[in-house]
Amino acid sequence: MGTHLEEIPVRTTRREEMIDVTTLVRAAVRRTGVEAGVAYIYCPHTTAGVTIQENADPDVRTDLLGHLVRLVPHDAGFRHSEGNSDAHIKTSLVGPSQVVPLDEGQLGLGTWQSVFFCEFDGPRSRKLLVKVLAG
Ligand code: ZN
């Protein structure tokens, strides 16, 4: 039996963006061969996170990202010398992980739900980890 841990490379192209990675997560889950349990989706970065949101209207993504940018401006007099405190704060707001139930080999996402990789300090080469726990 394997570890049921899959790594998904994600290449981001803008400083801030939300990338629909649902197809990649589904493929990673399939590779584990696990039929039932939970998929734990984890983003091992301090300036990128993962969320689940609507996939039907791309304006939802645009509004969410736009609002986060207004909420935490890039240059707001932060102390952190790297100059990317806004990205750290946005990442904490979004969070580093999501858990999705898995049944009969299928992710239990709702019809309008997708998994989004959230970049806040790109462009960079990133990764997403998917750990599938059978049960
Ligand atoms: Zn930093």
Side-chain angles (χ1 to χ4, degrees):
M1 187 148 94
T3 61
H4 301 151
L5 178 68
E6 292 285 326
E7 190 174 311
I8 300 171
V10 180
R11 176 76 210 167
T12 65
T13 60
R14 283 179 282 175
R15 182 158 197 271
E16 279 132 353
E17 67 181 313
M18 288 173 68
I19 299 171
D20 189 340
V21 292
T22 310
T23 305
L24 299 172
V25 172
R26 283 206 175 97
V29 167
R30 211 172 300 124
R31 284 196 296 274
T32 69
V34 176
E35 289 288 309
V38 293
Y40 181 68
I41 304 157
Y42 186 77
C43 182
H45 302 289
T46 61
T47 55
V50 63
T51 194
I52 292 174
Q53 256 308 336
E54 175 172 327
N55 57 24
D57 181 359
D59 283 345
V60 171
R61 218 180 310 179
T62 305
D63 286 347
L64 197 152
L65 212 47
H67 197 77
L68 281 174
V69 169
R70 284 194 299 279
L71 196 64
V72 192
H74 181 42
D75 184 12
F78 298 115
R79 294 170 58 102
H80 177 44
S81 62
E82 207 183 13
N84 63 352
S85 273
D86 65 307
H88 290 296
I89 294 166
K90 287 165 193 149
T91 298
S92 278
L93 290 173
V94 164
S97 66
Q98 295 291 329
V99 177
V100 181
L102 177 67
D103 193 36
E104 295 180 348
Q106 300 298 315
L107 286 177
L109 291 169
T111 306
W112 309 115
Q113 287 184 317
S114 275
V115 181
F116 290 95
F117 185 93
C118 303
E119 175 64 83
F120 296 118
D121 195 21
R124 293 186 193 222
S125 288
R126 303 287 206 174
K127 66 182 174 186
L128 203 55
L129 301 176
V130 178
K131 178 83 177 174
V132 178
L133 305 171

